[in-house]
Amino acid sequence: MIHSSIQTGLLLLAILTVGCATHPAPRPTTEPVPLAAQTTAIPTPLGMKPVPTLQAFFPEQNTTHTAVVVCPGGGYSGLMDTYEGQDVCRWWNRHGVTAYLLRYRVSPNRYPAQLNDAQAAIKMVRQQAKSLDINPKHIGIMGFSAGGHLAGSAATLFHNKSDRPDFAILVYPVISMIPPYAHGGSRDSLLGKNFAPGLDQQLSLQLRVTDNTPPCFLVQGKNDKVVPWQNAQMFADALTAHGIKNELVFLNNGPHGFGLRTPNPAEGDWTLQCLQFLQTIKMLPANPEQK
């Protein structure tokens, strides 16, 4: 369910991003726009921040006409909105991509509040796309850890074309809510400890892939001691079984929480592989500037 305040948020986002006639260029960032009638402040590395909100980050030049909604991790109990949030949005900006930082609801809010926030964000970006010179068919979602589970949920549990992302990027993602590979902390924060029977299977995303799931890029460290690497493998296997374009990059030296870094430079830069994948599926132009 999308809250009635979305229309107000859309108007505010349009004012913040389009600007007035004498200053048509959008500002580098906007203030966060509420995604619900009521927002709650939670502590993040960037201070007390209201959730759920969507904050836009604009490139100096809109060279790709593509947008990405970024979902930081935090075990569904907090939000790492620095190196898995603002830093990621600015990285996208350097490649000519418009980025949106989603600060979604966390515990004690339970499912489906978080998915509602992600779907509201995708809808908001898509409804504003043409006014910002964004292709409404080039809107993706990216998530880290529990944020990867949220991004994967958006890619598999969408209602229709309005809230379906056109691609998903999952970085050391939580995928399964079922032992032995579940991340217990994320499961408990998302579902509560006394969840309805079967809800853990319903939200084990390797079981929710269909022929309509969008293309996905995944990166995972083999030595991740927090979220087992099998999470990413199971999801990639399900995508392949359904004929969905995907790429899974394993890093031998990739402990949990590496953000945009490649911990061992000898393994190459996974972010460049990500950009190349998006070129392959026609979500980025053939030769975007890479920084």
Side-chain angles (χ1 to χ4, degrees):
M1 174 180 178
I2 306 303
H3 298 273
S4 61
S5 63
I6 288 299
Q7 295 301 321
T8 301
L10 286 170
L11 178 60
L12 178 56
L13 187 62
I15 293 171
L16 287 168
T17 58
V18 176
C20 63
T22 56
H23 296 87
R27 295 190 299 176
T29 62
T30 69
E31 292 300 315
V33 175
L35 288 172
Q38 300 293 326
T39 59
T40 302
I42 67 166
T44 80
L46 291 173
M48 292 293 292
K49 295 293 180 181
V51 296
T53 60
L54 191 65
Q55 185 174 13
F57 291 72
F58 295 101
E60 291 183 7
Q61 293 184 337
N62 182 354
T63 59
T64 65
H65 313 291
T66 296
V68 177
V69 175
V70 176
C71 308
Y76 280 125
S77 60
L79 295 175
M80 296 302 299
D81 61 351
T82 48
Y83 72 99
E84 294 177 349
Q86 287 195 0
D87 292 352
V88 177
C89 290
R90 294 190 175 102
W91 176 81
W92 281 115
N93 289 169
R94 293 197 294 273
H95 295 279
V97 175
T98 302
Y100 293 83
L101 172 54
L102 173 62
R103 293 187 175 97
Y104 52 91
R105 283 172 282 185
V106 295
S107 182
N109 298 282
R110 307 298 184 206
Y111 172 82
Q114 298 81 358
L115 182 57
N116 286 346
D117 295 342
Q119 291 172 338
I122 293 168
K123 280 188 173 183
M124 180 179 280
V125 174
R126 185 160 280 132
Q127 289 171 328
Q128 288 291 304
K130 290 185 178 180
S131 67
L132 297 173
D133 198 22
I134 294 169
N135 186 333
K137 295 181 180 180
H138 285 200
I139 296 170
I141 191 165
M142 179 183 196
F144 298 75
S145 193
H149 184 271
L150 181 56
S153 297
T156 55
L157 302 177
F158 52 86
H159 296 110
N160 49 51
K161 292 181 180 179
S162 67
D163 60 19
R164 175 189 180 273
D166 297 304
F167 60 88
I169 301 166
L170 312 182
V171 187
Y172 41 86
V174 174
I175 295 294
S176 181
M177 293 284 162
I178 308 169
Y181 301 125
H183 180 245
S186 294
R187 182 192 59 219
D188 292 349
S189 293
L190 180 65
L191 306 182
K193 293 189 176 181
N194 298 310
F195 54 83
L199 189 57
D200 53 347
Q201 293 203 28
Q202 181 182 341
L203 293 177
S204 292
L205 304 181
Q206 76 275 18
L207 305 178
R208 304 310 304 274
V209 174
T210 71
D211 293 349
N212 294 320
T213 301
C216 298
F217 179 91
L218 302 94
V219 60
Q220 173 69 49
K222 273 293 188 76
N223 61 343
D224 193 324
K225 303 300 183 184
V226 178
V227 177
W229 61 265
Q230 288 88 348
N231 279 259
Q233 185 69 69
M234 289 188 296
F235 194 72
D237 289 346
L239 292 166
T240 299
H242 283 271
I244 305 301
K245 291 182 180 179
N246 71 91
E247 182 175 348
L248 169 57
V249 174
F250 273 125
L251 302 177
N252 291 319
N253 182 21
H256 196 75
F258 53 80
L260 292 173
R261 297 181 303 110
T262 300
N264 179 6
E267 294 193 80
D269 187 342
W270 71 263
T271 64
L272 295 183
Q273 293 175 268
C274 177
L275 294 174
Q276 291 163 0
F277 175 78
L278 294 181
Q279 293 170 28
T280 300
I281 63 171
K282 311 300 185 184
M283 289 292 143
L284 288 181
N287 296 300
E289 186 178 0
Q290 297 181 346
K291 297 181 181 179

